[in-house]
Amino acid sequence: MPRRAKGPRLYLRRRRGRDSVWVIRDQGSELATGCGEGSRAEAEESLARYITTKYRPPTTERRLERIAVADVLTIYLDEHAPKTQSEAWLGFMADPIIDWWGGKTLADVHLRHCQQYVSWRTEQRVGDQTARHELKTLRSAINYYHRAYGPLPAVPAVTLPPKAEPREDYFLTREQVAQRLRVARRRSQSRHICRQILIGFYSGTRPGATLRLHWHENTVGGWADLDNAILHRAARGAPRSRPRQPKSRIHARLFAHLLRWKRHHPAQCPTLPVHHLAPPHMPTPPYS
């Protein structure tokens, strides 16, 4: 019966007439770490990086008790997330899922564990709605694995906490907007936020879409068409997302701001209405 492979491991290679070095042994081959005998911690970091790079989650297993939740999330983040517009957001949502579910399998995904996860997150002063979004990421990862490498004998049901009612009565008054503008103008590092506040107040545009606005049509974000007084929130050719981003008429007061901002726009950042740069020779134009 052949001996079982030991897997990647550190080995101290002693050399005649030279200092000993740590190497990584894996299936009969050796890989230098560049770490001497006294640098065991650095050698262990090299081994960890090697294992992470080499490891590929299995995709042929069908038994739920043999499929690790961490592997399912890794496949989802590596294969599906890069094709979406929210790759960074999905990675952020997956971090606590891996922390809590990392040692569990798909057979452990059930009502009791989902409730325990929500309790664990709320003990960390995280809202249950955030935990809901994180569990939705877990559910999407399981469904992706089922479609791409299944079929699974049974798709585990991820139980979500109840969805909170939307705050339909929430809005900012003009005085509240003015207060936020005064706070943002106190420091030069935050004055660009004034433009973001005004665009959001007069157009209802989301913060992310506001930061991607350009002066001209593009394929990265929306743009302000000052010739026709139309605000395009989505990029040209962008796929349709769940939060719709329809174009709208530019409010008269916002239109005046946009004209002034474009006229005094710095040469260092000629495409974005909202930016951090400001001309050192020119006083900051008024925002309100």
Side-chain angles (χ1 to χ4, degrees):
M1 182 176 179
R3 290 191 304 172
R4 186 176 181 179
K6 296 183 179 180
R9 63 199 182 280
L10 286 177
Y11 177 77
L12 184 61
R13 169 62 64 192
R14 301 196 180 275
R15 303 181 296 181
R16 181 178 300 179
R18 293 185 294 172
D19 295 335
S20 301
V21 294
W22 289 103
V23 297
I24 298 174
R25 278 188 169 182
D26 186 17
Q27 298 180 355
S29 61
E30 290 188 359
L31 177 68
T33 64
C35 303
E37 183 176 1
S39 303
R40 176 63 186 251
E42 291 80 357
E44 290 178 349
E45 292 179 1
S46 298
L47 176 62
R49 288 193 297 269
Y50 174 80
I51 294 175
T52 301
T53 303
K54 179 183 177 182
Y55 180 72
R56 293 293 182 270
T59 57
T60 58
E61 185 60 60
R62 295 294 179 269
R63 289 173 292 180
L64 299 184
E65 64 275 10
R66 299 288 296 274
I67 303 175
V69 172
D71 288 343
V72 173
L73 280 168
T74 299
I75 292 173
Y76 180 71
L77 295 177
D78 288 346
E79 298 182 4
H80 175 72
K83 301 175 183 178
T84 69
Q85 293 183 325
S86 51
E87 179 179 3
W89 169 257
L90 291 175
F92 180 75
M93 290 289 102
D95 282 344
I97 291 290
I98 293 177
D99 289 343
W100 198 86
W101 296 86
K104 296 178 172 57
T105 66
L106 292 187
D108 298 317
V109 180
H110 48 66
L111 172 63
R112 183 166 54 86
H113 278 162
C114 291
Q115 291 174 338
Q116 291 176 358
Y117 175 79
V118 175
S119 299
W120 175 70
R121 288 297 279 156
T122 53
E123 289 174 359
Q124 298 177 327
R125 298 184 178 182
V126 174
D128 62 340
Q129 295 305 298
T130 299
R132 175 184 171 86
H133 285 297
E134 294 163 357
L135 287 174
K136 287 171 64 178
T137 302
L138 172 61
R139 183 179 63 184
S140 299
I142 295 174
N143 291 336
Y144 176 82
Y145 186 91
H146 174 65
R147 295 192 305 269
Y149 301 105
L152 297 174
V155 180
V158 179
T159 305
L160 308 177
K163 186 176 182 179
E165 292 294 329
R167 297 182 59 182
E168 297 179 353
D169 60 340
Y170 178 74
F171 60 91
L172 294 178
T173 64
R174 292 185 61 83
E175 177 55 34
Q176 290 172 327
V177 173
Q179 181 183 15
R180 285 160 173 74
L181 291 173
R182 286 193 292 268
V183 173
R185 290 192 62 185
R186 289 175 184 172
R187 301 180 61 186
S188 59
Q189 295 89 338
S190 61
R191 287 177 182 166
H192 66 285
I193 300 178
C194 296
R195 297 186 174 188
Q196 184 175 5
I197 292 173
L198 288 173
I199 293 175
F201 178 69
Y202 284 116
S203 68
T205 305
R206 294 170 179 266
T210 302
L211 293 175
R212 292 190 294 269
L213 284 177
H214 286 61
W215 290 120
H216 306 286
E217 183 177 353
N218 65 96
T219 59
V220 178
W223 71 95
D225 182 0
L226 299 185
D227 294 333
N228 300 300
I230 296 178
L231 185 67
H232 298 264
R233 296 186 178 92
R236 172 64 66 187
R240 188 171 183 176
S241 59
R242 181 171 298 176
R244 296 185 58 193
Q245 297 176 315
K247 60 185 179 181
S248 65
R249 299 288 298 179
I250 299 177
H251 191 281
R253 293 184 178 178
L254 177 60
F255 186 78
H257 286 298
L258 291 171
L259 285 177
R260 184 170 62 252
W261 297 342
K262 188 173 183 180
R263 185 167 58 250
H264 295 289
H265 210 76
Q268 301 98 310
C269 190
T271 61
L272 303 175
V274 181
H275 58 85
H276 291 81
L277 302 174
H281 61 281
M282 183 182 299
T284 304
Y287 291 93
S288 58

